Amino acid sequence: KKTDIQKVLSYVDKHYTDADAKYAGIAKGKNVFVIHLESFQQFSMNMKINGQEVTPNLNQIYNSDSTIAFDNFFNQVGQGKTSDAENMLETSTFGLPQGSLFATQGNDQTFQAMPAILKQTEGYSSAVFHGNNASFWNRSNVYKNMGYQYFFDASYYDTSGDKAMGYGLKDKLLFNDSIPYLERMQQPFYAKYITVTNHFPYSLDEQDKDPNFTTTNTDSDIVNGYFETNHYLDQSIGEFFDYLKKSGLYNKSIIVLYGDHYGISNSENKYLASVLGKNADDWNDNDNAQLQRVPFMINIPGWHGGGVNHTYGGEIDVMPTLLHLLGVDSKKYVMMGQDLLSGKSNQVVAFRDKNFVTPKYSYINETIYDNKTDQAITNPTKSVLKEIDAAKQQVKEQLSISDDINQKDLLRFYTPSGFKSVDASKYNYSNGLA
Ligand code: GP9
Ligand code: MN
């Protein structure tokens, strides 16, 4: 077991990327909002339908020079879906090859996660706001092991009648009804909001539809509904930003927004093709892979060095990127990802099934694709093969090291210097801020 963790630590050491001085610590001491955009994909950004923007508020954030936005950022979830995304963002390790880590191992897993690290290094308090029940994805147990101080789940809000649907409290109400709790939190805080309204099957109550927004007219109700719930989610973000600005919290905070995974499944993508200006007839596996892009943006009010960054990366890379922005020395933490702003990340994006995407090529179900032409390379040259083989090795190693850590609970055997193990019994989520 000692040798297992040694292997992990030498991997971590070899893959560590130093912060770029341009970004190191630019958000030090700020409150952090992490806004989880449920099932939200990158293609909706800046998209217009019938001349209207689907997500005008998110677009404004995306296009702002106070925002670092990524347009080659991929979701890397497996069967754990939302819970895998959360796990990657909080720990920079992957979900499991099968099932959900949260659900199967969350009760007594050893985590060295964002809330505990930020508490211990910079004195942050922490909370999750979510309109579903605490037991979904076993969150209440996992969050305690991650060191979350508060979890404001469905029981903290009025979810009666038409205030909730599908997976819980509607997003506009989640943001609005969380304010009394948020305002009592000690600053600086790390606050995560998990939205739910933009979740399959993408239906909205009539009164939640914007009469000024008309969606697509494809043969798929899923696709047409998707843009409507995208638009609702976007409005909820707009309302929350209005509140942040009015309350003065905005200038003391940074806001991280990310999409957790696809909303439109591969089988439905042919209906999406026409909306994206593509041909459904020659749709291939690489088209599906390229659609695994989701937003990742960091809005830093008062700072103006932003723009759209084209670095390839994924959810596994958020934690190292964020820690450096917050001025936290991250070298001693066990992370499978790399700082996307370091300029030194390897840009090989692993999917949970070992397929992968790089800036030049994609490797999907044993086929190599050229990203310039989107066509399969049937007779790869020696040099292409060499590049692909090297990337294949990297992906295999990254996933297997991550699985070793999680399946064997290896962090039991390693405590970063100065880090105090989380004591889950300290947390009780039923009494809020009392
Ligand atoms: C429910 C939500 C949905 O609480 O987070 O999870 P998903 O179905 O997307 O994994
Ligand atoms: Mn989800």
Side-chain angles (χ1 to χ4, degrees), residues 189-202:
F189 53 70
Y190 175 72
K192 169 155 85 172
Y193 279 78
I194 305 172
T195 62
V196 293
T197 309
N198 187 55
H199 193 290
F200 186 85
Y202 314 112

Side-chain angles (χ1 to χ4, degrees), residues 21-28 30 68 254 300 303 324-327:
K22 183 177 172 221
Y23 299 107
I26 59 173
K28 197 172 180 71
K30 301 263 189 182
I68 303 165
I254 68 167
I300 307 176
W303 175 82
H324 282 167
L325 289 170
L326 295 169

Side-chain angles (χ1 to χ4, degrees), residues 38 81-82 130 132 136-137 139 167 199 261:
E38 179 56 45
K81 302 297 290 288
T82 292
H130 183 48
N132 199 352
F136 199 91
W137 283 130
R139 281 185 173 108
Y167 288 84
H199 193 290
H261 51 69

Side-chain angles (χ1 to χ4, degrees), residues 118-383:
L118 290 179
K119 166 98 204 157
Q120 295 183 28
T121 56
E122 304 280 316
Y124 279 68
S125 67
S126 56
V128 179
F129 299 92
H130 183 48
N132 199 352
N133 303 321
S135 62
F136 199 91
W137 283 130
N138 195 25
R139 281 185 173 108
S140 52
N141 288 315
V142 171
Y143 289 166
K144 285 176 190 167
N145 286 324
M146 287 182 167
Y148 267 110
Q149 287 177 280
Y150 306 108
F151 180 17
F152 299 101
D153 78 320
S155 67
Y156 283 88
Y157 319 103
D158 177 4
T159 57
S160 65
D162 59 7
K163 294 189 177 63
M165 66 175 300
Y167 288 84
L169 187 69
K170 295 172 179 175
D171 297 341
K172 286 187 184 178
L173 299 172
L174 171 71
F175 285 114
N176 186 67
D177 298 353
S178 68
I179 291 171
Y181 305 115
L182 179 67
E183 290 192 336
R184 290 168 59 197
M185 284 188 64
Q186 173 222 297
Q187 297 187 44
F189 53 70
Y190 175 72
K192 169 155 85 172
Y193 279 78
I194 305 172
T195 62
V196 293
T197 309
N198 187 55
H199 193 290
F200 186 85
Y202 314 112
S203 55
L204 273 184
D205 288 339
E206 235 15 80
Q207 81 257 25
D208 296 318
K209 291 188 182 167
D210 177 357
N212 298 312
F213 178 77
T214 340
T215 187
T216 50
N217 193 15
T218 73
D219 289 335
S220 163
D221 290 340
I222 300 293
V223 170
N224 301 337
Y226 186 65
F227 294 112
E228 282 189 313
T229 52
N230 278 188
H231 186 72
Y232 173 88
L233 170 59
D234 179 76
Q235 289 184 316
S236 78
I237 301 291
E239 290 178 8
F240 191 56
F241 270 63
D242 286 345
Y243 156 75
L244 291 177
K245 288 173 186 168
K246 251 202 306 245
S247 68
L249 268 177
Y250 189 62
N251 291 315
K252 300 181 197 154
S253 306
I254 68 167
I255 304 102
V256 178
L257 302 110
Y258 80 102
D260 62 338
H261 51 69
Y262 68 81
I264 305 297
S265 65
N266 289 350
S267 60
E268 213 76 14
N269 275 343
K270 53 182 177 294
Y271 299 101
L272 198 59
S274 66
V275 184
L276 303 178
K278 298 209 164 179
N279 187 348
D281 297 331
D282 59 13
W283 197 263
N284 62 30
D285 284 354
N286 192 38
D287 291 305
N288 290 328
Q290 298 300 323
L291 280 185
Q292 300 312 307
R293 282 177 173 81
V294 290
F296 172 39
M297 36 191 171
I298 306 151
N299 179 228
I300 307 176
W303 175 82
H304 296 281
V308 178
N309 184 309
H310 307 304
T311 303
Y312 276 62
E315 286 164 326
I316 204 79
D317 302 310
V318 171
M319 179 178 172
T321 306
L322 201 52
L323 283 177
H324 282 167
L325 289 170
L326 295 169
V328 177
D329 178 8
S330 68
K331 209 166 174 187
K332 61 187 173 195
Y333 302 114
V334 172
M335 300 188 290
M336 297 298 98
Q338 297 181 308
D339 177 351
L340 296 178
L341 296 168
S342 66
K344 297 172 207 135
S345 59
N346 69 21
Q347 303 204 71
V348 175
V349 186
F351 294 124
R352 186 54 265 196
D353 59 5
K354 297 195 181 77
N355 290 335
F356 60 85
V357 174
T358 77
K360 282 202 293 207
Y361 309 109
S362 302
Y363 182 75
I364 311 294
N365 306 334
E366 326 253 295
T367 302
I368 305 168
Y369 293 88
D370 183 339
N371 287 339
K372 261 206 237 86
T373 61
D374 188 30
Q375 296 306 310
I377 303 178
T378 41
N379 278 313
T381 62
K382 269 210 178 106
S383 87

